[in-house]
Amino acid sequence: AEYMGSAINRLAGVKHYIDNFLPQKNKLKKTRPAHEMASLHDLETANSLSTQSQPTFGINNKFEPGYDLITCAALGERPQVPSRDDNDDAEVGEVEYAMMMDEEGRIPDSQSLMDKVFRGGIRPTLRSILWKYMLGYFDYDKTYEANMAQRKLLEDEYFRVKLQWKTFSESQLSNFAELREKKTLIEKDVIRTDRRDDFFKGNLEDNINLCKLYDILMTFCFYNFDLGYMQGMSDLLAPILMIMEDEVDAFWCFVGLMKHCVCLVCQLLSV
């Protein structure tokens, strides 16, 4: 009973906010029957309340005991953003990228690179390289040779995980309800991904890119059992695959993106 009473109070507060604070256009005026009309005293009280000045910020807790009605949020003063030179907004190209690397291919000042990317973006011809770093596939502090050696190890791991679901028999799949559900969802999402783009036109039988998209998502289900596949992941993977083109590179960049997303969600939930 206490829970229901609290819920009713909160619904009443929402209705109060809609009726009194949100603008209502073209609202039809209806005349109520005489027996439903409020008394003169009630009308005078309501008019006096409506003429009271509304607070410009903060919380109004006078509406109903135990209920806080937020009337307006204080945004504070607008921050002063320093102006930047036009050169700061230039996209990162091959020349800027080469200047940031040392002789062995490391990128010592990765933060400066990230700032430039944030302000100006990346030249399309360089995205397939820098996205590997930004999504955690390559390490800024490793040499070029070390990153390529790491890529070889990750390539072998990818095909090992892929082989697990590729070798499932029909009888095994019939006893794995969760995988069947994910598989069906992936099949539906893959063929609906960016249909207007030539890269994904067609179907799984005649478009190798759709096959890559499907294989990467299925492999990710086995790589990360806890997260698996959720609707919409195909849309996050699609631009990565278009830029990388290589199935292995796209998979590990997608893994890095999912790690970032999970960390962000965990931070939001902890607030």
Side-chain angles (χ1 to χ4, degrees):
E2 181 179 355
Y3 175 81
M4 289 297 296
S6 176
I8 293 174
N9 287 339
R10 292 183 180 276
L11 288 175
V14 173
K15 183 179 184 302
H16 174 79
Y17 179 82
I18 293 175
D19 292 341
N20 294 280
F21 295 96
L22 293 183
Q24 300 184 30
K25 297 181 180 179
N26 302 324
K27 184 176 180 181
L28 298 177
K29 295 184 178 180
K30 297 182 180 180
T31 303
R32 303 181 65 178
H35 67 277
E36 292 184 5
M37 296 293 289
S39 65
L40 180 61
H41 173 74
D42 293 336
L43 290 175
E44 291 175 350
T45 302
N47 289 332
S48 65
L49 289 175
S50 64
T51 57
Q52 292 179 3
S53 60
Q54 298 179 8
T56 57
F57 66 92
I59 296 177
N60 177 10
N61 57 5
K62 297 180 180 180
F63 169 64
E64 205 168 307
Y67 178 80
D68 293 333
L69 178 63
I70 300 177
T71 56
C72 184
L75 299 179
E77 297 182 1
R78 178 178 297 180
Q80 297 295 324
V81 180
S83 60
R84 300 191 301 265
D85 296 333
D86 293 337
N87 292 333
D88 291 339
D89 294 332
E91 63 183 5
V92 177
E94 286 77 3
V95 175
E96 292 81 6
Y97 171 60
M99 292 177 61
M100 288 189 162
M101 287 193 303
D102 63 14
E103 297 177 353
E104 295 183 311
R106 301 183 186 88
I107 304 179
D109 191 0
S110 60
Q111 187 57 52
S112 177
L113 174 62
M114 295 290 288
D115 291 342
K116 289 181 177 293
V117 169
F118 176 77
R119 293 175 178 176
I122 307 173
R123 187 167 299 169
T125 55
L126 195 62
R127 289 174 184 170
S128 61
I129 297 176
L130 286 186
W131 281 20
K132 293 183 176 74
Y133 288 97
M134 298 175 66
L135 294 173
Y137 182 27
F138 282 4
D139 193 331
Y140 292 105
D141 297 325
K142 289 184 177 179
T143 64
Y144 176 78
E145 288 76 10
N147 275 320
M148 294 307 296
Q150 179 69 15
R151 183 194 181 281
K152 176 58 180 173
L153 295 176
L154 293 175
E155 181 181 19
D156 295 340
E157 182 178 355
Y158 171 76
F159 285 111
R160 281 197 303 270
V161 178
K162 181 178 178 178
L163 189 62
Q164 294 177 15
W165 67 267
K166 279 284 190 179
T167 56
F168 257 47
S169 65
E170 290 296 331
S171 60
Q172 286 178 300
L173 190 60
S174 65
N175 295 319
F176 201 157
E178 185 175 355
L179 179 60
R180 290 199 311 273
E181 179 183 348
K182 300 295 185 184
K183 183 175 183 293
T184 301
L185 187 57
I186 291 173
E187 290 173 349
K188 292 180 179 179
D189 282 357
V190 163
I191 61 176
R192 294 183 296 198
T193 300
D194 294 342
R195 304 304 298 160
R196 291 177 293 181
D197 196 292
D198 292 338
F199 193 84
F200 292 112
K201 280 185 177 179
N203 49 57
L204 286 170
E205 287 72 25
D206 55 25
N207 189 331
I208 186 63
N209 297 317
L210 287 178
C211 294
K212 291 179 181 178
L213 192 71
Y214 173 82
D215 288 355
I216 291 173
L217 294 172
M218 284 294 297
T219 304
F220 183 79
C221 286
F222 270 72
Y223 175 78
N224 191 331
F225 282 108
D226 292 335
L227 185 58
Y229 178 79
M230 298 181 184
Q231 193 166 19
M233 283 184 174
S234 58
D235 294 319
L236 299 178
L237 173 59
I240 297 177
L241 182 58
M242 291 179 67
I243 293 298
M244 298 298 163
E245 296 187 354
D246 183 83
E247 182 178 340
V248 175
D249 292 339
F251 174 81
W252 288 111
C253 286
F254 180 69
V255 169
L257 177 62
M258 289 298 100
K259 288 180 179 178
H260 283 297
C261 291
V262 170
C263 291
L264 178 60
V265 171
C266 291
Q267 291 175 4
L268 293 175
L269 292 177
S270 63
V271 174

